[in-house]
Amino acid sequence: MEPQVRRVARVIEPQPVVEGAGVRLRRSIGGWALDYLDPFLLLDHFESDDPDDYLAGFPLHPHRGIETVTYMLAGEVDHKDTIGNAGTIGPGDVQWMTAGGGIMHEEMPRPRDGRMGGFQLWVNMPAKMKMSRPRYQEIAAADIPVVERPDGTRVRLVAGRVDGTSGPVTEIYADPEYLDVALAAGAGFAQPIARGHAAFAYVFRGEGEFGVACDLGYRGELDGSLVRAPGLVVFGDGDEVRVRAYESPVRFLLVSGAPLGEPMARYGPFVMNTRAEIQQALLDLQAGAFVWAEGRDG
Ligand code: FE2
């Protein structure tokens, strides 16, 4: 049977927000237009050449019940957390942080060559994992495979599989795929995505045609939706995503994952299943008992 192509369900224009101690971001998931794309809770894009937009950073703050994925394009972020990790992530690096039952950390951006850029994605965790031991994975740019095709397509593979190559981030509950795809003008890209998984593309350079159903080699009229950076494309269900760089190159994140289908209670950096669990997180924070400790495993 022919794979069913995923069409574009929605296109969302990122909204400007100020977070942390005063960092200017573009938010496309977790805002008024799209509150939740199960299992994805939040997608922030930060990119600036003005240090006033980001230097205040994200001083010590808590997280519970989620995973945060930080992917850097430019500049550096110094980080420190309560499970003993400290270091700096730079261009092309990925930090995949599982907050589980409770972590406190700080994330402080530092420019390199006057530039700063990257993304933070929040992935929800299932009820049975929410109070689990926190975990931290850091992947250096050099350890992220790059798939290059003769047509100029270049895919950085954080999680998932392209052309027989797999990305280094594994063992994440949502079974996510996280690709950074660059297409030259005229190039096409098709990627199978498991039916039922949530899928989005975040366009951050150029312009591309998303949700193309016709053959990618067909050069007639527009078939999908033309989306220009910055923009979020939410795909409908199907087996495969098809994208074409029309007249200009395009670069986008392509992310998918298995929805949880569980009730959600959300309050800032805490994402649980019930309001009572949110109350508990706040009480734990006040009592100085927020950070996950051995023996408190839920
Ligand atoms: Fe954080």
Side-chain angles (χ1 to χ4, degrees), residues 178-255:
Y178 193 122
L179 313 177
D180 170 359
V181 183
L183 303 182
F189 180 77
Q191 178 70 9
I193 292 177
R195 185 171 278 267
H197 281 204
F200 69 83
Y202 183 80
V203 188
F204 62 100
R205 298 278 188 274
E207 182 183 61
E209 188 188 351
F210 291 79
V212 180
C214 69
D215 188 278
L216 285 171
Y218 171 71
R219 280 283 156 252
E221 53 197 76
L222 206 62
D223 176 65
S225 307
L226 212 51
V227 181
R228 181 177 303 168
L232 181 88
V233 178
V234 179
F235 292 102
D237 205 5
D239 308 297
E240 184 176 287
V241 160
R242 290 187 195 163
V243 183
R244 268 196 307 210
Y246 209 60
E247 283 168 344
S248 67
V250 64
R251 188 171 170 193
F252 57 94
L253 304 180
L254 180 61
V255 179

Side-chain angles (χ1 to χ4, degrees), residues 114-132:
R115 293 186 58 232
M116 169 58 58
F119 306 93
Q120 191 167 79
L121 175 71
W122 291 11
V123 188
N124 204 358
M125 297 180 76
K128 64 179 184 200
M129 304 280 289
K130 280 194 183 289
M131 293 304 287
S132 61

Side-chain angles (χ1 to χ4, degrees), residues 61 63 105 107 120:
H61 59 277
H63 288 287
H105 72 166
E107 302 160 284
Q120 191 167 79

Side-chain angles (χ1 to χ4, degrees), residues 71-119:
Y71 176 44
M72 299 294 294
L73 294 173
E76 295 177 340
V77 172
D78 292 337
H79 67 90
K80 224 189 291 180
D81 68 36
T82 45
I83 54 171
N85 299 295
T88 301
I89 55 170
D93 296 348
V94 171
Q95 183 199 84
W96 201 296
M97 197 269 292
T98 305
I103 196 170
M104 306 269 287
H105 72 166
E106 62 172 43
E107 302 160 284
M108 302 303 283
R110 302 279 170 251
R112 194 192 267 185
D113 304 325
R115 293 186 58 232
M116 169 58 58
F119 306 93

